[in-house]
């Protein structure tokens, strides 16, 4: 990590905000039931444009992005400086950068006090912006734009065909320029776990009813320092306001949370809406967004680098392995709910020599029974946060539908049940998802890992016993 890149971003301009066994299998889920996941999939509407109308304050300034999520922010009043080049001058003065312009007037390099980032055949500096009511970057053809015309303006050092680090949340609101919060509310287990990974549980004064990790969150609810402010799908505006948070972190996969964010912003409560995590990048982006908004940018980079290092090491370990056709499901129904394309589970499978049999479907979707047989997965992974006794796995197999029993996965004994803690973890696109990633890697590539660790067909609260690369990446207390 480059120590000279300023990611602390503590500024003053944002408003502070206001101070039978089958029955058991289906009923013991704690979080992310089929209904909840489908609600997130169905209700995740296009969020473009929802941020601007509901945001009372929009940060003014400029971002300098050195790549690898290493960015700095400089507050500037657009009434004084609106020209991007002059904004770069201001940023350089504040952070001690030295920059050079070519004879053509284009930015060629920036020295950040530790390293020089120069244009070369693979990387180049460019001026980027996000249009108002948008979440997408556009690279400016010239430098003659006005920063005030856009939600955010970024000088970025990127690879060819790459974009800068995410700079707006799921509603198109800039993630930069907030004051560091002293109290927070998180509206989903993913939001809670990301804030916890910042070592900031002490800031949390309210969560949704499903947040139960790390243990300090549960302890906070028990001692009254953390209140329940609604459910994952139905957050309570009144309960949130009663806690008087400086910042609320919302889950953009839930329509009701997006609406609450709009209302909170109109009440001058800073609210950040995370993206629906469809892949590894969006999980990382959400961690970055949260860290930047909280002014915990350096800690966010630590989390991102730890996750990335572990996942790359696992990918390297399984490189060259034979492909395995896989179905990942939330239940054992004859027509199960499965992970299709545009889910982080499918993205993980593609990195681990797994061929998702439901890739023709989008999101978490119902797979009709005849397609279970048609797709014929050679491996099936069931995700369920319920608790199971030693005999439940055998009874589960015995009660599977004929379509399931016609699959190679059943015939060859390759059906895995991830339950209890790992079942719950696997359904959360949080920093802990790296541990689910390793479990999947070991299931699909058992011969790629030395050390004699054999993943059993049922894995529960003891899942950490089967980890090595990510054993210490629980991001807990």
């Amino acid at each position: 990590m480059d120590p000279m890149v300023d990611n602390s971003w503590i500024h003053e301009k944002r408003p502070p905000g206001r101070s039978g066994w089958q029955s058991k299998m289906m009923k013991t889920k704690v979080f992310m039931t089929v209904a909840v996941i489908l609600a997130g999939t169905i209700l995740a509407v296009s969020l473009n444009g929802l941020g601007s109308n509901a945001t009372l304050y929009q940060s003014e300034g400029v971002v300098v992005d050195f790549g690898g999520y290493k960015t700095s922010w400089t507050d500037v009043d657009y009434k004084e400086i609106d020209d991007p080049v002059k904004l770069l001058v201001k940023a350089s003065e504040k952070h001690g950068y030295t920059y050079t312009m070519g004879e053509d007037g284009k930015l060629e390099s920036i020295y950040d006090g530790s390293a020089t980032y120069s244009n070369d055949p693979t990387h180049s500096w460019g001026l980027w912006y996000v249009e108002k009511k948008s979440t997408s970057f556009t690279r400016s053809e010239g430098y003659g734009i006005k920063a005030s015309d856009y939600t955010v303006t970024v000088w970025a050092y990127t690879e060819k065909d790459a974009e800068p680090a995410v700079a707006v949340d799921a509603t198109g609101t800039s993630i930069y320029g907030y004051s560091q919060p002293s109290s927070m509310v998180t509206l989903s287990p993913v939001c809670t776990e990301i804030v916890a990974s910042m070592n900031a549980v002490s800031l949390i004064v309210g969560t949704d009813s499903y947040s139960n990790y790390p243990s300090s969150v549960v302890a906070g609810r028990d001692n009254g320092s953390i209140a329940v402010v609604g459910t994952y799908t139905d957050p309570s505006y009144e309960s949130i306001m009663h806690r008087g948070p400086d910042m609320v972190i919302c889950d953009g996969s839930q329509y009701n949370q997006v609406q609450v964010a709009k209302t909170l912003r109109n009440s001058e409560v800073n609210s950040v809406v995370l993206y629906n995590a469809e892949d590894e990048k969006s999980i990382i982006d959400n961690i970055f967004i949260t860290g930047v908004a909280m002014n915990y940018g350096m800690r966010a980079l630590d989390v991102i680098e730890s996750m990335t290092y572990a996942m790359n090491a696992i990918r390297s370990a399984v490189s060259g392995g034979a492909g395995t056709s896989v179905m990942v499901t939330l239940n054992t129904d004859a027509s199960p709910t499965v992970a299709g394309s545009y889910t982080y589970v499918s993205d993980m499978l593609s990195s681990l020599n797994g061929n998702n049999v439901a890739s023709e479907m989008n999101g978490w979707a119902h797979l009709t029974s005849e397609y279970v047989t048609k797709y014929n997965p050679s491996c099936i992974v069931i995700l369920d946060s319920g608790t199971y006794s030693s005999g439940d796995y055998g009874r589960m197999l015995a009660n599977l539908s004929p379509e399931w029993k016609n699959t190679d996965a059943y015939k060859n004994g390759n059906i895995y049940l991830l339950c209890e803690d790992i079942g719950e973890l696997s359904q959360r696109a949080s920093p802990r998802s790296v541990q689910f990633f390793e479990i999947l890697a070991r299931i699909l590539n058992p011969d790629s890992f030395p050390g004699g660790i054999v993943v059993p067909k049922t894995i529960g609260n003891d899942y950490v016993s089967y980890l090595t690369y990510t054993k210490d990446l629980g991001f807990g207390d």
Side-chain angles (χ1 to χ4, degrees):
M1 185 182 302
D2 191 330
M4 297 304 296
V5 178
D6 179 10
N7 285 279
S8 56
W9 306 307
I10 301 178
H11 305 294
E12 299 81 20
K13 286 193 174 183
R14 292 271 186 174
R18 300 186 187 276
S19 340
W21 82 265
Q22 284 184 316
S23 176
K24 180 179 74 171
M25 184 172 186
M26 294 301 103
K27 293 181 180 178
T28 54
K29 286 182 179 294
V30 177
F31 174 64
M32 282 295 195
T33 59
V34 174
V36 170
I37 287 187
L38 290 179
T41 302
I42 295 171
L43 294 176
V45 299
S46 174
L47 302 179
N48 293 358
L50 291 180
S52 298
N53 292 336
T55 303
L56 297 184
Y57 179 83
Q58 180 63 55
S59 57
E60 295 183 359
V62 66
V63 179
V64 179
D65 184 339
F66 295 88
Y69 292 98
K70 299 176 182 178
T71 68
S72 68
W73 168 257
T74 304
D75 272 323
V76 180
D77 187 342
Y78 287 156
K79 293 179 181 178
E80 298 178 1
I81 303 175
D82 197 18
D83 176 83
V85 176
K86 292 181 179 179
L87 290 173
L88 176 60
V89 173
K90 192 73 172 180
S92 298
E93 291 173 351
K94 176 180 178 180
H95 300 287
Y97 302 151
T98 302
Y99 68 90
T100 59
M101 293 286 190
E103 294 181 358
D104 58 357
K106 300 295 185 182
L107 179 61
E108 288 190 341
S109 69
I110 296 181
Y111 174 67
D112 70 349
S114 176
T116 300
Y117 298 80
S118 301
N119 295 340
D120 60 32
T122 61
H123 293 74
S124 65
W125 284 100
L127 177 62
W128 297 75
Y129 57 82
V130 177
E131 296 269 8
K132 293 179 180 179
K133 300 185 179 182
S134 174
T135 58
S136 302
F137 269 114
T138 299
R139 183 163 182 159
S140 179
E141 295 182 0
Y143 297 168
I145 64 174
K146 292 182 178 181
S148 59
D149 289 339
Y150 306 101
T151 300
V152 66
T153 305
V154 182
W155 288 100
Y157 187 66
T158 61
E159 293 184 78
K160 184 179 180 182
D161 299 326
E163 293 185 349
V166 59
V168 297
D169 74 1
T171 64
T173 302
S174 174
I175 63 177
Y176 291 93
Y178 289 104
S179 296
Q180 191 173 56
S182 60
S183 61
M184 302 181 67
V185 166
T186 55
L187 297 185
S188 78
V190 169
C191 299
T192 303
E193 292 193 20
I194 292 177
V195 171
S197 75
M198 302 293 119
N199 297 327
V201 171
S202 61
L203 301 183
I204 299 176
V205 296
T207 70
D208 67 289
S209 59
Y210 296 109
S211 289
N212 60 358
Y213 186 91
S215 60
S216 53
V217 171
V218 178
R221 290 229 285 267
D222 291 342
N223 66 32
S225 63
I226 297 176
V228 173
V229 296
T231 67
Y232 174 62
T233 56
D234 189 20
S236 168
Y237 166 78
E238 292 78 11
S239 297
I240 295 168
M241 293 299 292
H242 183 71
R243 301 303 294 173
D246 297 328
M247 179 174 288
V248 179
I249 307 296
C250 310
D251 193 321
S253 69
Q254 290 299 312
Y255 178 78
N256 285 344
Q257 294 202 28
V258 178
Q259 298 307 304
V260 164
K262 292 173 63 177
T263 305
L264 289 168
R265 287 167 176 170
N266 285 333
S267 299
E268 298 187 6
V269 176
N270 293 323
S271 301
V272 179
V273 182
L274 304 185
Y275 289 86
N276 184 26
E278 297 179 344
D279 52 26
E280 178 185 337
K281 182 182 182 301
S282 56
I283 294 174
I284 297 295
D285 281 352
N286 283 339
I287 295 168
F288 179 73
I289 288 168
T290 305
V292 170
M294 291 175 60
N295 292 288
Y296 279 57
M298 294 300 288
R299 173 57 186 167
L301 279 180
D302 287 342
V303 173
I304 290 169
E305 290 178 355
S306 296
M307 292 176 62
T308 303
Y309 181 85
M311 295 179 82
N312 285 341
I314 293 168
R315 274 188 280 260
S316 178
V318 304
S319 177
T324 302
S325 60
V326 190
M327 182 175 77
V328 178
T329 174
L330 298 177
N331 51 50
T332 57
D333 293 351
S335 297
T337 300
V338 298
S341 295
Y342 303 107
T343 63
Y344 62 89
V345 171
S346 187
D347 188 55
M348 287 181 177
L349 293 177
S350 65
S351 295
L352 300 171
N353 304 316
N355 301 317
N356 185 3
V357 298
S359 60
E360 295 178 354
M361 310 178 77
N362 292 332
W364 291 91
H366 283 294
L367 186 68
T368 56
S369 58
E370 62 267 23
Y371 275 88
V372 174
T373 301
K374 177 181 177 180
Y375 287 153
N376 188 26
S378 58
C379 178
I380 296 175
V381 180
I382 304 163
L383 311 180
D384 189 323
S385 58
T387 301
Y388 296 87
S389 64
S390 58
D392 282 342
Y393 178 78
R395 286 189 286 273
M396 178 192 74
L397 292 181
N399 284 276
L400 291 175
S401 70
E403 291 84 0
W404 280 60
K405 290 182 177 179
N406 280 331
T407 65
D408 288 344
Y410 177 84
K411 295 173 184 178
N412 298 325
N414 283 326
I415 296 180
Y416 291 82
L417 173 62
L418 274 55
C419 60
E420 300 172 339
D421 285 352
I422 183 61
E424 184 175 73
L425 180 162
S426 66
Q427 297 172 51
R428 297 180 177 181
S430 73
R432 289 196 297 157
S433 61
V434 294
Q435 296 184 319
F436 173 49
F437 186 79
E438 181 173 352
I439 292 293
L440 273 182
R442 290 182 177 278
I443 288 173
L444 300 179
N445 306 272
D447 298 328
S448 297
F449 299 94
I453 295 178
V454 178
V455 176
K457 294 300 186 294
T458 302
I459 314 169
N461 293 336
D462 61 344
Y463 73 94
V464 176
S465 302
Y466 307 104
L467 303 175
T468 56
Y469 294 86
T470 63
K471 190 180 186 72
D472 299 321
L473 295 184
F475 300 107
D477 301 322

